[in-house]
Amino acid sequence: MWQKIKTYTIAHLLGLALVVGGWYLSIMNTSADRWQSVKFLSGANLVGLVMIIIGAYLPEIWISIKNRGKSS
């Protein structure tokens, strides 16, 4: 029981950290380029968006891999 709670908690906290980190990276990069020419798609923004996507799907993938082979 505790192992299941620990698996779910760690997976979701890691996903949340990736989403928040990607969001922060994208927002900070956009605000840092505020006085320059308009660039909506730069390297840092792409990395931030990839972090958000990975953080959104990682918990469910992680949990399904951990539960693979176990009968429900």
Side-chain angles (χ1 to χ4, degrees):
M1 177 71 173
W2 288 109
Q3 183 65 25
K4 191 174 187 179
I5 292 171
K6 189 170 114 178
T7 300
Y8 276 68
T9 304
I10 291 173
H12 283 91
L13 286 176
L14 184 61
L16 179 66
L18 282 170
V19 168
V20 170
W23 174 80
Y24 182 76
L25 182 63
S26 295
I27 295 298
M28 289 307 292
N29 184 53
T30 302
S31 66
D33 293 339
R34 175 173 41 180
W35 303 111
Q36 298 174 5
S37 64
V38 177
K39 281 185 355 184
F40 292 114
L41 204 57
S42 66
N45 281 350
L46 284 175
V47 170
L49 292 173
V50 168
M51 284 174 64
I52 291 170
I53 291 171
I54 290 173
Y57 291 106
L58 180 70
E60 296 304 320
I61 293 170
W62 183 341
I63 291 168
S64 66
I65 289 173
K66 290 284 268 191
N67 291 336
R68 185 178 49 188
K70 295 180 182 176
S71 61
S72 15

